[in-house]
Amino acid sequence: MRLLKSVAIACVAVACALPALASPSKPPKQAASKKAAANSTVQGGVPYANRPDAMAFADDLATRRGLDREWVRQAIGQARMLSQVPRLMLPPPVGTPKNWRVYRSRFIDPVRIRAGVRFWQEHREALERAEAEYGVPVEIIVGIIGVETIYGQQMGNFRVMDALATLAFDFPNAHPRAKERREFFQRELEQFLSLTNRSNIDPFEPRGSYAGAMGLGQFMPSSWVRYAVDFDGDGRVDLFRSPVDAIGSVANYFKGHNWTTGMPTHYAVQFDTARLQLDTLLAPDILPTFSAASMQAKGVVLDAAGAQHTGPLALVELQNGGDTPTYVAGTENFYAITRYNWSSYYAMAVIELGREVAAAR
């Protein structure tokens, strides 16, 4: 069965400047700060203090992570349910047409390209150093940060604590993968509280997307913990205010997701309609499955470079509304980009924005 992945880009407005989340450890706070209590009415409705499931989660988290029980209960208890967030997580109605050309126009436009050129010029040394160290092309790093936040202009204005609590305890049951996604956000809430506690950061300060993603590269808490790096060498990781840290962290993320240095992201294709087995080719979705030879045996005509590719390939379909879809042969590096956001449309937007910025330079 062919799966059509949706995109959840969660950038809303410019976030306020925030302290680094991975600064040197200080003694953990014993209670949520007075500032957090004062800010608890900034967004959202009913707090989670009176929700038995939320408080049971808090107690379990504190025990497993060795955190102060009252601090965890107070932090989760002060979080507010954001009524608009569950609606934003629902996929579009069945039958809603996808349109690559329209999607592309949202991200590859003059404003974003000009911002990308400025970002590249200002941070050329860091970008080139990241490419040399991690093997990820500058164009891909620039494409990611541009698609995610327009180079830091739109990092989100939701309190991350509220967003994660809402999705951990009130993820919409109407979602086809509700149980799996609810458990995912519970893990992210756990990572976020552990990270802010050991960094001595008020958990109600960070602002981000409606899904709880943070900083120039919109890292979820678990990605921050695993892949964020102090690329500017100042002794702390700050993905909000240090573009250099964001650059290194995005590159490290891709290295951690098996980016192969020097491998193209995709190849052009045409079809031999007499032999084309389209349903078979699209069945694995964007997971690289076919060799170049087996893909060609099923009716795909690869360009010269694609025909020589030695790794697995996926036939990637980008629908264009009622018009003929766009097709490419995606490599394992194309697939690596979808680990950032599970969508072939997203991956292609990242690739093409990076190329457009490079050309504009």
Side-chain angles (χ1 to χ4, degrees):
M1 177 176 157
R2 195 188 317 172
L3 299 176
L4 299 176
K5 305 300 181 186
S6 62
V7 177
I9 302 296
C11 306
V12 185
V14 179
C16 59
L18 300 171
L21 286 183
S23 55
S25 256
K26 300 176 183 177
K29 292 172 286 187
Q30 298 303 305
S33 70
K34 292 181 180 179
K35 182 177 179 181
N39 284 345
S40 64
T41 59
V42 171
Q43 290 178 300
V46 178
Y48 281 98
N50 295 323
R51 283 277 296 268
D53 58 335
M55 292 298 96
F57 176 87
D59 291 342
D60 179 63
L61 189 161
T63 299
R64 286 185 294 101
R65 289 276 178 165
L67 301 176
D68 181 84
R69 178 175 176 270
E70 288 309 311
W71 181 83
V72 177
R73 287 177 66 89
Q74 200 166 22
I76 291 178
Q78 289 178 8
R80 299 255 168 172
M81 193 276 187
L82 304 177
S83 59
Q84 71 272 43
V85 165
R87 294 194 296 270
L88 293 169
M89 300 305 295
L90 291 172
V94 175
T96 302
K98 294 175 180 283
N99 193 315
W100 160 238
R101 297 189 188 99
V102 172
Y103 183 91
R104 183 186 189 279
S105 69
R106 292 169 52 197
F107 300 104
I108 291 87
D109 62 11
V111 171
R112 212 174 293 246
I113 292 169
R114 285 195 298 270
V117 170
R118 289 193 301 271
F119 184 84
W120 195 326
Q121 290 171 340
E122 291 171 7
H123 304 292
R124 180 178 58 83
E125 184 276 333
L127 287 161
E128 292 175 356
R129 181 161 56 92
E131 179 171 350
E133 184 170 334
Y134 297 105
V136 181
V138 171
E139 290 91 338
I140 297 299
I141 302 170
V142 168
I144 286 284
I145 297 175
V147 166
E148 289 291 344
T149 64
I150 318 182
Y151 308 100
Q153 294 181 37
Q154 296 182 350
M155 292 190 286
N157 66 352
F158 290 86
R159 294 195 312 188
V160 171
M161 185 68 205
D162 292 334
L164 292 176
T166 297
L167 294 170
F169 306 122
D170 286 293
F171 194 89
N173 291 323
H175 193 284
R177 295 162 57 219
K179 182 177 184 295
E180 176 186 345
R181 300 305 291 163
R182 187 179 298 111
E183 290 173 351
F184 167 80
F185 284 108
Q186 287 175 356
R187 293 192 297 272
E188 292 299 324
L189 177 58
E190 177 173 336
Q191 291 279 12
F192 179 71
L193 284 171
S194 299
L195 178 59
T196 55
N197 182 272
R198 75 173 165 269
S199 303
N200 200 38
I201 299 301
D202 183 339
F204 288 90
E205 284 191 35
R207 296 317 200 252
S209 76
Y210 64 77
M214 300 175 285
L216 278 84
Q218 293 291 274
F219 272 30
M220 293 298 290
S222 61
S223 294
W224 191 305
V225 170
R226 292 184 190 125
Y227 303 112
V229 295
D230 174 21
F231 206 55
D232 63 12
D234 68 352
R236 60 179 186 172
V237 176
D238 187 348
L239 303 188
F240 290 98
R241 297 179 298 185
S242 173
V244 174
D245 283 358
I247 287 165
S249 299
V250 168
N252 189 42
Y253 181 95
F254 281 117
K255 181 180 179 181
H257 285 81
N258 303 314
W259 183 273
T260 300
T261 303
M263 179 187 290
T265 56
H266 63 284
Y267 301 104
V269 301
Q270 294 181 326
F271 292 145
D272 178 351
T273 55
R275 295 184 297 125
L276 184 61
Q277 301 175 36
L278 190 60
D279 287 343
T280 300
L281 288 162
L282 293 174
D285 198 41
I286 53 181
L287 179 67
T289 304
F290 305 99
S291 67
S294 66
M295 185 172 274
Q296 292 183 112
K298 294 174 175 59
V300 174
V301 181
L302 293 163
D303 63 17
Q308 298 300 314
H309 186 78
T310 57
L313 297 168
L315 183 64
V316 176
E317 179 185 71
L318 302 168
Q319 298 177 12
N320 289 307
D323 295 336
T324 302
T326 298
Y327 294 94
V328 298
T331 70
E332 289 171 298
N333 277 354
F334 187 96
Y335 185 74
I337 300 174
T338 68
R339 302 308 83 206
Y340 213 97
N341 186 312
W342 186 271
S343 166
S344 54
Y345 297 79
Y346 174 88
M348 190 60 74
V350 166
I351 294 164
E352 296 205 359
L353 177 60
R355 288 180 175 178
E356 292 288 340
V357 173
R361 291 184 72 240

PDB file of all heavy atoms in Angstrom, residues 276-309:
ATOM      1  N   LEU A 276       6.428  -0.457 -17.612  1.00  0.00           N
ATOM      2  CA  LEU A 276       6.356   0.218 -16.325  1.00  0.00           C
ATOM      3  C   LEU A 276       5.492  -0.534 -15.316  1.00  0.00           C
ATOM      4  O   LEU A 276       4.332  -0.839 -15.573  1.00  0.00           O
ATOM      5  CB  LEU A 276       5.804   1.636 -16.511  1.00  0.00           C
ATOM      6  CG  LEU A 276       5.748   2.502 -15.253  1.00  0.00           C
ATOM      7  CD1 LEU A 276       7.143   2.703 -14.668  1.00  0.00           C
ATOM      8  CD2 LEU A 276       5.101   3.836 -15.560  1.00  0.00           C
ATOM      9  N   GLN A 277       6.080  -0.816 -14.145  1.00  0.00           N
ATOM     10  CA  GLN A 277       5.366  -1.444 -13.022  1.00  0.00           C
ATOM     11  C   GLN A 277       5.272  -0.415 -11.893  1.00  0.00           C
ATOM     12  O   GLN A 277       5.932  -0.532 -10.856  1.00  0.00           O
ATOM     13  CB  GLN A 277       6.104  -2.699 -12.567  1.00  0.00           C
ATOM     14  CG  GLN A 277       6.264  -3.746 -13.642  1.00  0.00           C
ATOM     15  CD  GLN A 277       7.101  -4.933 -13.188  1.00  0.00           C
ATOM     16  OE1 GLN A 277       7.031  -5.363 -12.022  1.00  0.00           O
ATOM     17  NE2 GLN A 277       7.900  -5.474 -14.089  1.00  0.00           N
ATOM     18  N   LEU A 278       4.430   0.589 -12.100  1.00  0.00           N
ATOM     19  CA  LEU A 278       4.420   1.743 -11.205  1.00  0.00           C
ATOM     20  C   LEU A 278       3.997   1.372  -9.791  1.00  0.00           C
ATOM     21  O   LEU A 278       4.624   1.830  -8.815  1.00  0.00           O
ATOM     22  CB  LEU A 278       3.495   2.831 -11.773  1.00  0.00           C
ATOM     23  CG  LEU A 278       3.567   4.196 -11.083  1.00  0.00           C
ATOM     24  CD1 LEU A 278       4.984   4.764 -11.170  1.00  0.00           C
ATOM     25  CD2 LEU A 278       2.563   5.156 -11.705  1.00  0.00           C
ATOM     26  N   ASP A 279       2.962   0.570  -9.649  1.00  0.00           N
ATOM     27  CA  ASP A 279       2.510   0.222  -8.295  1.00  0.00           C
ATOM     28  C   ASP A 279       3.588  -0.521  -7.519  1.00  0.00           C
ATOM     29  O   ASP A 279       3.785  -0.274  -6.321  1.00  0.00           O
ATOM     30  CB  ASP A 279       1.244  -0.630  -8.369  1.00  0.00           C
ATOM     31  CG  ASP A 279       0.019   0.186  -8.764  1.00  0.00           C
ATOM     32  OD1 ASP A 279       0.091   1.428  -8.669  1.00  0.00           O
ATOM     33  OD2 ASP A 279      -0.986  -0.409  -9.186  1.00  0.00           O
ATOM     34  N   THR A 280       4.301  -1.410  -8.168  1.00  0.00           N
ATOM     35  CA  THR A 280       5.388  -2.146  -7.510  1.00  0.00           C
ATOM     36  C   THR A 280       6.500  -1.203  -7.088  1.00  0.00           C
ATOM     37  O   THR A 280       7.046  -1.312  -5.973  1.00  0.00           O
ATOM     38  CB  THR A 280       5.951  -3.223  -8.453  1.00  0.00           C
ATOM     39  OG1 THR A 280       4.907  -4.143  -8.790  1.00  0.00           O
ATOM     40  CG2 THR A 280       7.103  -3.981  -7.805  1.00  0.00           C
ATOM     41  N   LEU A 281       6.830  -0.265  -7.954  1.00  0.00           N
ATOM     42  CA  LEU A 281       7.911   0.667  -7.672  1.00  0.00           C
ATOM     43  C   LEU A 281       7.565   1.633  -6.539  1.00  0.00           C
ATOM     44  O   LEU A 281       8.440   2.055  -5.775  1.00  0.00           O
ATOM     45  CB  LEU A 281       8.249   1.458  -8.939  1.00  0.00           C
ATOM     46  CG  LEU A 281       8.959   0.665 -10.033  1.00  0.00           C
ATOM     47  CD1 LEU A 281       8.839   1.383 -11.380  1.00  0.00           C
ATOM     48  CD2 LEU A 281      10.430   0.453  -9.671  1.00  0.00           C
ATOM     49  N   LEU A 282       6.285   1.983  -6.416  1.00  0.00           N
ATOM     50  CA  LEU A 282       5.878   2.940  -5.389  1.00  0.00           C
ATOM     51  C   LEU A 282       5.509   2.273  -4.064  1.00  0.00           C
ATOM     52  O   LEU A 282       5.346   2.965  -3.058  1.00  0.00           O
ATOM     53  CB  LEU A 282       4.698   3.774  -5.882  1.00  0.00           C
ATOM     54  CG  LEU A 282       4.992   4.738  -7.041  1.00  0.00           C
ATOM     55  CD1 LEU A 282       3.698   5.402  -7.523  1.00  0.00           C
ATOM     56  CD2 LEU A 282       6.008   5.792  -6.626  1.00  0.00           C
ATOM     57  N   ALA A 283       5.389   0.957  -4.060  1.00  0.00           N
ATOM     58  CA  ALA A 283       4.937   0.254  -2.851  1.00  0.00           C
ATOM     59  C   ALA A 283       5.830   0.503  -1.633  1.00  0.00           C
ATOM     60  O   ALA A 283       5.319   0.684  -0.520  1.00  0.00           O
ATOM     61  CB  ALA A 283       4.824  -1.244  -3.126  1.00  0.00           C
ATOM     62  N   PRO A 284       7.169   0.554  -1.767  1.00  0.00           N
ATOM     63  CA  PRO A 284       8.005   0.817  -0.575  1.00  0.00           C
ATOM     64  C   PRO A 284       8.002   2.277  -0.150  1.00  0.00           C
ATOM     65  O   PRO A 284       8.713   2.646   0.797  1.00  0.00           O
ATOM     66  CB  PRO A 284       9.411   0.393  -1.023  1.00  0.00           C
ATOM     67  CG  PRO A 284       9.232  -0.378  -2.279  1.00  0.00           C
ATOM     68  CD  PRO A 284       8.007   0.180  -2.921  1.00  0.00           C
ATOM     69  N   ASP A 285       7.250   3.122  -0.835  1.00  0.00           N
ATOM     70  CA  ASP A 285       7.214   4.549  -0.565  1.00  0.00           C
ATOM     71  C   ASP A 285       8.617   5.125  -0.761  1.00  0.00           C
ATOM     72  O   ASP A 285       9.259   4.852  -1.770  1.00  0.00           O
ATOM     73  CB  ASP A 285       6.642   4.825   0.816  1.00  0.00           C
ATOM     74  CG  ASP A 285       6.183   6.267   0.998  1.00  0.00           C
ATOM     75  OD1 ASP A 285       5.583   6.832   0.063  1.00  0.00           O
ATOM     76  OD2 ASP A 285       6.441   6.830   2.070  1.00  0.00           O
ATOM     77  N   ILE A 286       9.145   5.920   0.197  1.00  0.00           N
ATOM     78  CA  ILE A 286      10.417   6.602  -0.024  1.00  0.00           C
ATOM     79  C   ILE A 286      11.613   5.809   0.500  1.00  0.00           C
ATOM     80  O   ILE A 286      12.734   6.302   0.491  1.00  0.00           O
ATOM     81  CB  ILE A 286      10.409   8.007   0.618  1.00  0.00           C
ATOM     82  CG1 ILE A 286      10.007   7.933   2.090  1.00  0.00           C
ATOM     83  CG2 ILE A 286       9.486   8.931  -0.141  1.00  0.00           C
ATOM     84  CD1 ILE A 286       9.960   9.288   2.777  1.00  0.00           C
ATOM     85  N   LEU A 287      11.406   4.570   0.928  1.00  0.00           N
ATOM     86  CA  LEU A 287      12.498   3.742   1.410  1.00  0.00           C
ATOM     87  C   LEU A 287      13.276   3.180   0.220  1.00  0.00           C
ATOM     88  O   LEU A 287      12.712   2.465  -0.612  1.00  0.00           O
ATOM     89  CB  LEU A 287      11.970   2.592   2.266  1.00  0.00           C
ATOM     90  CG  LEU A 287      13.019   1.631   2.822  1.00  0.00           C
ATOM     91  CD1 LEU A 287      13.898   2.351   3.844  1.00  0.00           C
ATOM     92  CD2 LEU A 287      12.345   0.418   3.444  1.00  0.00           C
ATOM     93  N   PRO A 288      14.571   3.478   0.095  1.00  0.00           N
ATOM     94  CA  PRO A 288      15.351   2.940  -1.018  1.00  0.00           C
ATOM     95  C   PRO A 288      15.367   1.415  -0.979  1.00  0.00           C
ATOM     96  O   PRO A 288      15.795   0.814   0.012  1.00  0.00           O
ATOM     97  CB  PRO A 288      16.745   3.526  -0.797  1.00  0.00           C
ATOM     98  CG  PRO A 288      16.524   4.751   0.037  1.00  0.00           C
ATOM     99  CD  PRO A 288      15.374   4.396   0.930  1.00  0.00           C
ATOM    100  N   THR A 289      14.903   0.792  -2.061  1.00  0.00           N
ATOM    101  CA  THR A 289      14.673  -0.650  -2.077  1.00  0.00           C
ATOM    102  C   THR A 289      15.247  -1.327  -3.313  1.00  0.00           C
ATOM    103  O   THR A 289      15.675  -2.474  -3.251  1.00  0.00           O
ATOM    104  CB  THR A 289      13.157  -0.934  -2.005  1.00  0.00           C
ATOM    105  OG1 THR A 289      12.609  -0.305  -0.838  1.00  0.00           O
ATOM    106  CG2 THR A 289      12.860  -2.419  -1.967  1.00  0.00           C
ATOM    107  N   PHE A 290      15.254  -0.619  -4.444  1.00  0.00           N
ATOM    108  CA  PHE A 290      15.576  -1.237  -5.721  1.00  0.00           C
ATOM    109  C   PHE A 290      16.992  -0.891  -6.170  1.00  0.00           C
ATOM    110  O   PHE A 290      17.448   0.240  -5.997  1.00  0.00           O
ATOM    111  CB  PHE A 290      14.594  -0.770  -6.800  1.00  0.00           C
ATOM    112  CG  PHE A 290      13.152  -1.015  -6.448  1.00  0.00           C
ATOM    113  CD1 PHE A 290      12.355   0.004  -5.934  1.00  0.00           C
ATOM    114  CD2 PHE A 290      12.586  -2.272  -6.616  1.00  0.00           C
ATOM    115  CE1 PHE A 290      11.031  -0.209  -5.613  1.00  0.00           C
ATOM    116  CE2 PHE A 290      11.260  -2.501  -6.290  1.00  0.00           C
ATOM    117  CZ  PHE A 290      10.477  -1.476  -5.782  1.00  0.00           C
ATOM    118  N   SER A 291      17.677  -1.849  -6.771  1.00  0.00           N
ATOM    119  CA  SER A 291      18.930  -1.533  -7.446  1.00  0.00           C
ATOM    120  C   SER A 291      18.612  -0.779  -8.732  1.00  0.00           C
ATOM    121  O   SER A 291      17.468  -0.790  -9.216  1.00  0.00           O
ATOM    122  CB  SER A 291      19.693  -2.813  -7.774  1.00  0.00           C
ATOM    123  OG  SER A 291      18.983  -3.559  -8.761  1.00  0.00           O
ATOM    124  N   ALA A 292      19.627  -0.131  -9.289  1.00  0.00           N
ATOM    125  CA  ALA A 292      19.425   0.569 -10.553  1.00  0.00           C
ATOM    126  C   ALA A 292      18.948  -0.402 -11.622  1.00  0.00           C
ATOM    127  O   ALA A 292      18.030  -0.093 -12.409  1.00  0.00           O
ATOM    128  CB  ALA A 292      20.712   1.259 -10.976  1.00  0.00           C
ATOM    129  N   ALA A 293      19.523  -1.594 -11.648  1.00  0.00           N
ATOM    130  CA  ALA A 293      19.146  -2.575 -12.664  1.00  0.00           C
ATOM    131  C   ALA A 293      17.702  -3.035 -12.488  1.00  0.00           C
ATOM    132  O   ALA A 293      16.942  -3.135 -13.461  1.00  0.00           O
ATOM    133  CB  ALA A 293      20.096  -3.771 -12.609  1.00  0.00           C
ATOM    134  N   SER A 294      17.299  -3.334 -11.243  1.00  0.00           N
ATOM    135  CA  SER A 294      15.928  -3.807 -11.030  1.00  0.00           C
ATOM    136  C   SER A 294      14.918  -2.702 -11.291  1.00  0.00           C
ATOM    137  O   SER A 294      13.813  -2.962 -11.794  1.00  0.00           O
ATOM    138  CB  SER A 294      15.766  -4.354  -9.607  1.00  0.00           C
ATOM    139  OG  SER A 294      15.901  -3.329  -8.644  1.00  0.00           O
ATOM    140  N   MET A 295      15.284  -1.460 -10.980  1.00  0.00           N
ATOM    141  CA  MET A 295      14.395  -0.347 -11.271  1.00  0.00           C
ATOM    142  C   MET A 295      14.209  -0.196 -12.778  1.00  0.00           C
ATOM    143  O   MET A 295      13.080  -0.001 -13.264  1.00  0.00           O
ATOM    144  CB  MET A 295      14.949   0.933 -10.657  1.00  0.00           C
ATOM    145  CG  MET A 295      14.038   2.133 -10.793  1.00  0.00           C
ATOM    146  SD  MET A 295      14.627   3.589  -9.862  1.00  0.00           S
ATOM    147  CE  MET A 295      13.921   3.258  -8.243  1.00  0.00           C
ATOM    148  N   GLN A 296      15.295  -0.327 -13.526  1.00  0.00           N
ATOM    149  CA  GLN A 296      15.188  -0.203 -14.986  1.00  0.00           C
ATOM    150  C   GLN A 296      14.416  -1.372 -15.580  1.00  0.00           C
ATOM    151  O   GLN A 296      13.677  -1.202 -16.552  1.00  0.00           O
ATOM    152  CB  GLN A 296      16.586  -0.089 -15.590  1.00  0.00           C
ATOM    153  CG  GLN A 296      17.254   1.236 -15.220  1.00  0.00           C
ATOM    154  CD  GLN A 296      18.612   1.421 -15.859  1.00  0.00           C
ATOM    155  OE1 GLN A 296      18.779   2.277 -16.714  1.00  0.00           O
ATOM    156  NE2 GLN A 296      19.574   0.613 -15.441  1.00  0.00           N
ATOM    157  N   ALA A 297      14.545  -2.556 -14.985  1.00  0.00           N
ATOM    158  CA  ALA A 297      13.792  -3.716 -15.468  1.00  0.00           C
ATOM    159  C   ALA A 297      12.295  -3.528 -15.277  1.00  0.00           C
ATOM    160  O   ALA A 297      11.486  -4.153 -15.982  1.00  0.00           O
ATOM    161  CB  ALA A 297      14.253  -4.976 -14.746  1.00  0.00           C
ATOM    162  N   LYS A 298      11.921  -2.650 -14.347  1.00  0.00           N
ATOM    163  CA  LYS A 298      10.502  -2.387 -14.081  1.00  0.00           C
ATOM    164  C   LYS A 298      10.002  -1.147 -14.812  1.00  0.00           C
ATOM    165  O   LYS A 298       8.949  -0.605 -14.490  1.00  0.00           O
ATOM    166  CB  LYS A 298      10.266  -2.262 -12.572  1.00  0.00           C
ATOM    167  CG  LYS A 298      10.507  -3.565 -11.816  1.00  0.00           C
ATOM    168  CD  LYS A 298      10.400  -3.375 -10.319  1.00  0.00           C
ATOM    169  CE  LYS A 298      10.513  -4.692  -9.577  1.00  0.00           C
ATOM    170  NZ  LYS A 298      11.780  -5.395  -9.840  1.00  0.00           N
ATOM    171  N   GLY A 299      10.782  -0.682 -15.780  1.00  0.00           N
ATOM    172  CA  GLY A 299      10.289   0.367 -16.663  1.00  0.00           C
ATOM    173  C   GLY A 299      10.771   1.770 -16.382  1.00  0.00           C
ATOM    174  O   GLY A 299      10.298   2.724 -16.992  1.00  0.00           O
ATOM    175  N   VAL A 300      11.723   1.943 -15.459  1.00  0.00           N
ATOM    176  CA  VAL A 300      12.280   3.266 -15.185  1.00  0.00           C
ATOM    177  C   VAL A 300      13.532   3.462 -16.041  1.00  0.00           C
ATOM    178  O   VAL A 300      14.415   2.604 -16.068  1.00  0.00           O
ATOM    179  CB  VAL A 300      12.632   3.420 -13.697  1.00  0.00           C
ATOM    180  CG1 VAL A 300      13.341   4.748 -13.442  1.00  0.00           C
ATOM    181  CG2 VAL A 300      11.379   3.315 -12.845  1.00  0.00           C
ATOM    182  N   VAL A 301      13.596   4.581 -16.731  1.00  0.00           N
ATOM    183  CA  VAL A 301      14.779   4.918 -17.511  1.00  0.00           C
ATOM    184  C   VAL A 301      15.572   5.952 -16.720  1.00  0.00           C
ATOM    185  O   VAL A 301      15.168   7.109 -16.598  1.00  0.00           O
ATOM    186  CB  VAL A 301      14.389   5.476 -18.900  1.00  0.00           C
ATOM    187  CG1 VAL A 301      15.647   5.808 -19.707  1.00  0.00           C
ATOM    188  CG2 VAL A 301      13.512   4.483 -19.653  1.00  0.00           C
ATOM    189  N   LEU A 302      16.685   5.509 -16.156  1.00  0.00           N
ATOM    190  CA  LEU A 302      17.530   6.391 -15.349  1.00  0.00           C
ATOM    191  C   LEU A 302      18.477   7.180 -16.244  1.00  0.00           C
ATOM    192  O   LEU A 302      18.840   6.736 -17.343  1.00  0.00           O
ATOM    193  CB  LEU A 302      18.349   5.569 -14.360  1.00  0.00           C
ATOM    194  CG  LEU A 302      17.566   4.868 -13.248  1.00  0.00           C
ATOM    195  CD1 LEU A 302      18.408   3.772 -12.611  1.00  0.00           C
ATOM    196  CD2 LEU A 302      17.125   5.866 -12.192  1.00  0.00           C
ATOM    197  N   ASP A 303      18.894   8.368 -15.751  1.00  0.00           N
ATOM    198  CA  ASP A 303      19.915   9.101 -16.490  1.00  0.00           C
ATOM    199  C   ASP A 303      21.250   8.367 -16.342  1.00  0.00           C
ATOM    200  O   ASP A 303      21.350   7.350 -15.638  1.00  0.00           O
ATOM    201  CB  ASP A 303      20.005  10.558 -16.028  1.00  0.00           C
ATOM    202  CG  ASP A 303      20.417  10.720 -14.566  1.00  0.00           C
ATOM    203  OD1 ASP A 303      20.935   9.754 -13.976  1.00  0.00           O
ATOM    204  OD2 ASP A 303      20.221  11.824 -14.011  1.00  0.00           O
ATOM    205  N   ALA A 304      22.286   8.844 -17.008  1.00  0.00           N
ATOM    206  CA  ALA A 304      23.559   8.121 -17.050  1.00  0.00           C
ATOM    207  C   ALA A 304      24.137   7.913 -15.661  1.00  0.00           C
ATOM    208  O   ALA A 304      24.612   6.818 -15.323  1.00  0.00           O
ATOM    209  CB  ALA A 304      24.547   8.881 -17.935  1.00  0.00           C
ATOM    210  N   ALA A 305      24.107   8.960 -14.821  1.00  0.00           N
ATOM    211  CA  ALA A 305      24.646   8.837 -13.466  1.00  0.00           C
ATOM    212  C   ALA A 305      23.820   7.865 -12.633  1.00  0.00           C
ATOM    213  O   ALA A 305      24.360   7.055 -11.873  1.00  0.00           O
ATOM    214  CB  ALA A 305      24.700  10.207 -12.793  1.00  0.00           C
ATOM    215  N   GLY A 306      22.508   7.941 -12.759  1.00  0.00           N
ATOM    216  CA  GLY A 306      21.642   7.050 -12.003  1.00  0.00           C
ATOM    217  C   GLY A 306      21.842   5.597 -12.375  1.00  0.00           C
ATOM    218  O   GLY A 306      21.797   4.705 -11.511  1.00  0.00           O
ATOM    219  N   ALA A 307      22.070   5.327 -13.637  1.00  0.00           N
ATOM    220  CA  ALA A 307      22.274   3.948 -14.085  1.00  0.00           C
ATOM    221  C   ALA A 307      23.534   3.341 -13.489  1.00  0.00           C
ATOM    222  O   ALA A 307      23.634   2.118 -13.339  1.00  0.00           O
ATOM    223  CB  ALA A 307      22.332   3.903 -15.607  1.00  0.00           C
ATOM    224  N   GLN A 308      24.509   4.184 -13.117  1.00  0.00           N
ATOM    225  CA  GLN A 308      25.758   3.706 -12.524  1.00  0.00           C
ATOM    226  C   GLN A 308      25.713   3.662 -10.997  1.00  0.00           C
ATOM    227  O   GLN A 308      26.683   3.234 -10.370  1.00  0.00           O
ATOM    228  CB  GLN A 308      26.914   4.628 -12.966  1.00  0.00           C
ATOM    229  CG  GLN A 308      27.152   4.652 -14.467  1.00  0.00           C
ATOM    230  CD  GLN A 308      27.502   3.279 -15.014  1.00  0.00           C
ATOM    231  OE1 GLN A 308      28.334   2.576 -14.443  1.00  0.00           O
ATOM    232  NE2 GLN A 308      26.861   2.892 -16.113  1.00  0.00           N
ATOM    233  N   HIS A 309      24.600   4.087 -10.397  1.00  0.00           N
ATOM    234  CA  HIS A 309      24.503   4.136  -8.939  1.00  0.00           C
ATOM    235  C   HIS A 309      24.557   2.718  -8.379  1.00  0.00           C
ATOM    236  O   HIS A 309      23.865   1.815  -8.852  1.00  0.00           O
ATOM    237  CB  HIS A 309      23.200   4.821  -8.531  1.00  0.00           C
ATOM    238  CG  HIS A 309      23.083   5.049  -7.050  1.00  0.00           C
ATOM    239  ND1 HIS A 309      23.733   6.064  -6.397  1.00  0.00           N
ATOM    240  CD2 HIS A 309      22.385   4.370  -6.091  1.00  0.00           C
ATOM    241  CE1 HIS A 309      23.454   6.027  -5.109  1.00  0.00           C
ATOM    242  NE2 HIS A 309      22.633   5.004  -4.899  1.00  0.00           N
TER     243      HIS A 309
END
